[in-house]
Amino acid sequence: MFNLLNIVLVETRFPENIGAVARASANFGSAPISLVNPEMWEIEKAKPLATKQGIILLENINVYPTLDKAISESTLCIGTSARLGGIRREVLNPKECAKEIFRYLSKGEKVSLIFGPEDRGLENHHLELCQKLVTVPTNPHCSSLNLAQAVLLLLYELFNIVPQKQKTRKKDKGAISRRINNEERTLLHEKLKHVLINLDVIQKDNPDYFFLPMARFLDKKEIRRHEMDMLLGICRQIERLGKK
């Protein structure tokens, strides 16, 4: 099950922190690790912090130039953030986050858990790619967490609710289609945004901002593939009628 969980580290500064994350992952399920545009990635500097158990995770790390590439196959993407307000709302706590991740993993769907740079965390353009956010409650006078500590806390909560023995699940014949992954989510959002601009529903000067409420609404509905095809079909018909 943990092979379906993708620990994504965005613009990490120090390879030693990546090694510590690998050790935390090895402690609680050995979820694979992805790096997005790391400032410096040297596996030899990371290995001492990973210990023997985490080295295999380091050796199988995937490195991506952008976040959207790293999470393209994930159905659910959860961003971590210590700052609240504005775009950062409807935030989960670690236990709620673990339950949400388990709900997807138990159905065989991929999940990305995303962590930002050590010095500043995820930025708004990263968070826009996430359906949900999670924060770790801390002492307000000492709220800064080490990257590996944050990873460990969230993986610990998840590890605690995963059954010790996984039972074989029969295919759900009643399921209509799978939930869309992040690459498909981005495609759907871009197509809807384009159509809404042409209909003058959202303003052209800052379409990303005015589309945010629609994006949040769609994320709550957990769009499935057949629903995405239906919405894209509607968009095509609107474009066709618009040309006439």
Side-chain angles (χ1 to χ4, degrees):
M1 178 178 291
F2 279 87
N3 287 335
L4 296 171
L5 178 61
N6 183 24
I7 300 174
V8 184
L9 309 181
V10 179
E11 298 175 8
T12 312
R13 300 189 64 193
F14 306 108
E16 291 83 356
N17 285 336
I18 299 171
V21 168
R23 179 177 182 178
S25 179
N27 288 147
F28 298 108
S30 294
I33 300 169
S34 296
L35 303 181
V36 175
N37 190 28
E39 186 172 316
M40 179 173 59
W41 171 226
E42 296 181 18
I43 190 170
E44 293 304 321
K45 289 187 176 181
K47 282 182 176 180
L49 276 296
T51 70
K52 181 180 179 180
Q53 290 76 14
I55 288 178
I56 189 169
L57 292 172
L58 295 180
E59 292 173 342
N60 287 279
I61 274 180
N62 291 311
V63 182
Y64 298 89
T66 59
L67 178 57
D68 59 330
K69 298 291 185 184
I71 62 178
S72 63
E73 296 183 359
S74 294
T75 302
L76 174 67
C77 300
I78 301 180
T80 56
S81 178
R83 301 187 297 274
L84 306 180
I87 190 175
R88 301 172 175 86
R89 59 183 186 180
E90 299 181 10
V91 180
L92 304 172
N93 64 41
K95 288 186 183 295
E96 293 168 336
C97 178
K99 291 178 181 178
E100 193 70 3
I101 292 174
F102 178 71
R103 187 163 70 91
Y104 281 75
L105 297 186
S106 62
K107 295 179 181 178
E109 300 181 37
K110 293 184 178 181
V111 177
S112 284
L113 187 55
I114 307 166
F115 300 82
E118 297 93 326
D119 56 342
R120 62 187 185 277
L122 294 172
E123 299 179 13
N124 284 347
H125 68 277
H126 299 133
L127 298 178
E128 288 172 6
L129 296 173
C130 303
Q131 290 95 327
K132 297 182 183 294
L133 304 180
V134 60
T135 191
V136 178
T138 59
N139 180 342
H141 302 295
C142 186
S143 60
S144 178
L145 281 176
N146 173 273
L147 174 61
Q149 291 174 330
V151 172
L152 185 142
L153 282 167
L154 295 176
L155 290 182
Y156 170 78
E157 293 291 353
L158 177 61
F159 191 78
N160 274 341
I161 65 173
V162 173
Q164 292 299 316
K165 294 182 179 180
Q166 292 295 325
K167 296 180 179 179
T168 302
R169 295 178 59 88
K170 294 182 179 179
K171 186 176 181 180
D172 184 2
K173 296 181 179 179
I176 299 175
S177 64
R178 61 173 174 79
R179 279 183 275 253
I180 61 174
N181 60 37
N182 204 69
E183 184 175 25
E184 293 164 334
R185 171 183 178 265
T186 300
L187 172 65
L188 175 61
H189 286 194
E190 288 302 315
K191 177 60 73 172
L192 285 171
K193 190 190 306 177
H194 176 73
V195 168
L196 292 174
I197 290 172
N198 289 339
L199 292 173
D200 290 328
V201 175
I202 60 177
Q203 297 183 24
K204 298 179 180 180
D205 57 343
N206 193 0
D208 292 337
Y209 174 79
F210 290 105
F211 186 75
L212 275 176
M214 175 67 75
R216 293 190 180 111
F217 169 76
L218 293 171
D219 287 342
K220 288 180 180 178
K221 299 304 176 184
E222 299 181 349
I223 302 296
R224 293 185 176 272
R225 181 60 204 230
H226 75 280
E227 295 169 329
M228 171 185 169
D229 292 338
M230 176 184 67
L231 290 171
L232 290 177
I234 292 171
C235 289
R236 287 192 293 270
Q237 289 300 315
I238 291 173
E239 291 177 329
R240 183 179 65 82
L241 292 172
K243 290 178 182 179
K244 288 186 176 181

